[in-house]
Amino acid sequence: MDYLLSISLQDLDKVVYLRKRLSLLVGYLRDLSMYCWIEEFTSKDRQIFLWQSVNRDRTTLKEIRLELSRVLAAFISEIEEPELVRKIIQQKFQFAYTPEVKQIEQYAQKIIKKRQQSNWKNTDQLTKQIASFLKVERNFAIDGYARFRLEGRKKVLAQCIQEAIESYLLDKEYKEFIQLLKYFVSVQSSKISLVHVIHQGKKQFHLLKADGKPLRLKEIDGVCEEMMDHTVSHEDYIVSTLLSIAPERVVLHTKLPEENVIRTLLQIFEGRIIVCDGCNECGISLNFPGDA
């Protein structure tokens, strides 16, 4: 069973990586008493890997073909598809590879990886598709196959890219809004030196003054309230309140530092906020009535 596997010489790193993967497969199959080897040569602008086997048992040949297809599918998923994603993004935006395109590409790769982890059948289906191809064809141009034979996967990649663009734009809008609020804090006159923010989760907050007594506000600054009308998150009351008083220092007490509202507070009040997870020095307890 012989196959001519080829790839462009434009990217030598790809050639080296493919050589390594095929060599590892040869060693793996030999350990299983399946005798294969590869010969390598150059033809014009392509690197050719001649895959050969002395096995003649039909079952063994089928297993070898499946293992070879699995390696080729992994190579396409790991190496060829990221380039395909970049080209789709560039075509969609119709301009060169800019920092913005690079960021969208990173978003897309995360989404694609997440989908692959949640649905392992993606690579498995590609393996079967390649195995079916190799059953009737002996020449396999890896980059050409990835570019012209994967219409179904291209549609999935296009969906991931669209999702990545939407996520990127939302995050960009959010970051711009955070910068606006940070600027607002920097120019606002502080109305109090220290505020303790007690976060109990499930959108429950308590504000305490430095002496531990509840902080009561009669009203929120109208400008700040207007700004908060445009927030992406509706957990904005605590943010609006803190913006209106612009404390010099904020001590945030929380057991859930990864919640979105907490991360927002940390960004807005960067430089004047610290997180306390229940230390004794503050004299503030996180155990409020009703806590489980």
Side-chain angles (χ1 to χ4, degrees), residues 43-154:
S43 177
K44 296 183 179 178
D45 60 344
R46 301 189 66 79
Q47 192 72 8
I48 311 297
F49 295 89
L50 176 60
W51 176 278
Q52 301 180 80
S53 170
V54 296
N55 301 278
R56 290 293 177 261
D57 178 76
R58 181 173 297 181
T59 301
T60 301
L61 292 176
K62 181 178 179 181
E63 189 171 349
I64 292 173
R65 182 167 59 245
L66 183 61
E67 291 297 332
L68 177 59
S69 299
R70 186 171 287 116
V71 168
L72 295 174
F75 182 86
I76 289 174
S77 295
E78 296 169 13
I79 306 300
E80 294 295 330
E81 282 190 354
E83 286 192 2
L84 185 58
V85 167
R86 183 178 302 125
K87 289 178 181 177
I88 294 174
I89 294 173
Q90 287 179 273
Q91 289 171 1
K92 192 174 187 67
F93 283 90
Q94 297 182 342
F95 50 62
Y97 193 59
T98 65
E100 187 173 40
V101 170
K102 184 176 181 180
Q103 290 184 58
I104 293 173
E105 181 186 344
Q106 291 170 347
Y107 275 68
Q109 294 298 348
K110 288 180 181 178
I111 293 171
I112 293 167
K113 186 175 181 180
K114 186 176 181 180
R115 284 199 181 189
Q116 289 175 340
Q117 289 174 341
S118 62
N119 184 11
W120 59 269
K121 291 182 180 179
N122 285 336
T123 303
D124 189 55
Q125 288 171 351
L126 181 57
T127 298
K128 291 178 180 178
Q129 184 177 337
I130 293 174
S132 296
F133 181 88
L134 293 179
K135 190 174 182 179
V136 295
E137 299 288 344
R138 291 293 179 261
N139 294 334
F140 189 84
I142 300 171
D143 41 2
Y145 190 90
R147 191 174 299 115
F148 301 112
R149 294 267 185 168
L150 301 178
E151 292 304 320
R153 289 177 74 86
K154 285 181 182 178

Side-chain angles (χ1 to χ4, degrees), residues 191-220:
K191 297 180 176 65
I192 190 170
S193 60
L194 173 65
V195 170
H196 290 280
V197 179
I198 313 298
H199 176 226
Q200 293 180 266
K202 298 181 180 179
K203 304 179 185 179
Q204 296 183 34
F205 288 90
H206 296 272
L207 296 180
L208 306 179
K209 294 183 289 188
D211 58 7
K213 294 180 180 180
L215 176 66
R216 303 189 184 281
L217 299 175
K218 294 181 180 181
E219 60 182 13
I220 297 176

